[in-house]
């Protein structure tokens, strides 16, 4: 089941729907990195625009979360 959250990114409101497992990774990453969730999502969005502007933000967030978990593995 998707969980929808509203965020303000670069001055504009947006909403993002992800599975709770992905939100858990993003929330933990924001805490670990000492930043807000909105700041983290903005960073993901900026990277997405540079590399593949046609990719949906939700997809970019999922891929980012997956890579974060993979990078933490020994």
């Amino acid at each position: 089941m998707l969980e929808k959250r509203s965020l303000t990114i670069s001055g504009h409101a947006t909403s993002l729907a992800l599975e709770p497992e992905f939100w858990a990774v993003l929330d933990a990453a924001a805490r670990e990195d000492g930043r807000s969730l909105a700041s983290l999502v903005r960073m993901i969005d900026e990277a997405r625009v540079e590399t593949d502007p046609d990719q949906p933000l939700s997809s970019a967030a999922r891929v980012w979360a997956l890579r974060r978990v993979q990078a933490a593995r020994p």
Side-chain angles (χ1 to χ4, degrees):
M1 181 165 193
L2 295 177
E3 179 182 327
K4 193 172 193 177
R5 295 194 194 178
S6 296
L7 303 161
T8 301
I9 301 173
S10 301
H12 71 280
T14 191
S15 61
L16 190 58
L18 299 172
E19 293 77 5
E21 295 83 359
F22 287 107
W23 281 122
V25 172
L26 294 175
D27 287 334
R31 268 192 317 277
E32 291 167 10
D33 295 352
R35 62 191 319 161
S36 68
L37 180 62
S39 171
L40 176 62
V41 173
R42 184 180 70 238
M43 179 197 71
I44 294 167
D45 188 41
E46 289 171 353
R48 174 192 68 87
V49 169
E50 288 180 17
T51 59
D52 185 2
D54 293 329
Q55 180 185 35
L57 178 55
S58 58
S59 176
R62 286 182 182 96
V63 170
W64 188 95
L66 176 62
R67 288 180 179 159
R68 175 82 175 215
V69 169
Q70 289 174 329
R73 287 185 178 170

